[in-house]
């Protein structure tokens, strides 16, 4: 089963949660964006939330439910 992937990314002085090219919400603080991203990811398991730094690098990842990657074997 494929997991849903969400990202918290900088957005012109604010932060947004996105899935692919679709924006799911914009927030004043990174903390608030991460909170909302975690709620969305939990509601759509299996999923992963990838949190980025202000310069776009990956800071941390949260995986919810069984992680299908790497596959067993």
């Amino acid at each position: 089963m494929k997991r849903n992937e969400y990202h918290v990314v900088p957005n012109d002085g604010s932060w947004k949660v996105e899935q692919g090219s679709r924006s799911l919400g914009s927030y004043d603080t990174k903390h608030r964006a991460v909170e909302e991203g975690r709620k969305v990811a939990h509601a759509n398991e299996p999923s992963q939330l990838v949190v980025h730094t202000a310069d776009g690098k990956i800071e941390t990842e949260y995986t919810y439910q069984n992680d299908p990657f790497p596959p067993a074997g």
Side-chain angles (χ1 to χ4, degrees):
M1 176 183 252
K2 184 176 168 134
R3 67 179 166 205
N4 297 300
E5 191 170 302
Y6 303 93
H7 292 261
V8 172
V9 295
N11 183 41
D12 295 326
S14 64
W15 291 85
K16 70 179 177 177
V17 177
E18 62 184 17
Q19 182 181 30
S21 62
R22 189 174 117 207
S23 178
L24 303 178
S26 184
Y27 306 92
D28 292 338
T29 66
K30 182 177 182 178
H31 179 76
R32 181 82 172 119
V34 171
E35 285 179 342
E36 293 302 314
R38 292 182 81 165
K39 288 179 188 176
V40 170
H42 270 297
N44 296 287
E45 294 177 1
S47 62
Q48 180 179 38
L49 178 65
V50 180
V51 181
H52 296 262
T53 60
D55 63 0
K57 295 178 183 174
I58 293 175
E59 179 179 335
T60 191
E61 298 177 17
Y62 300 97
T63 302
Y64 302 100
Q65 202 178 50
N66 295 332
D67 188 1
F69 299 99

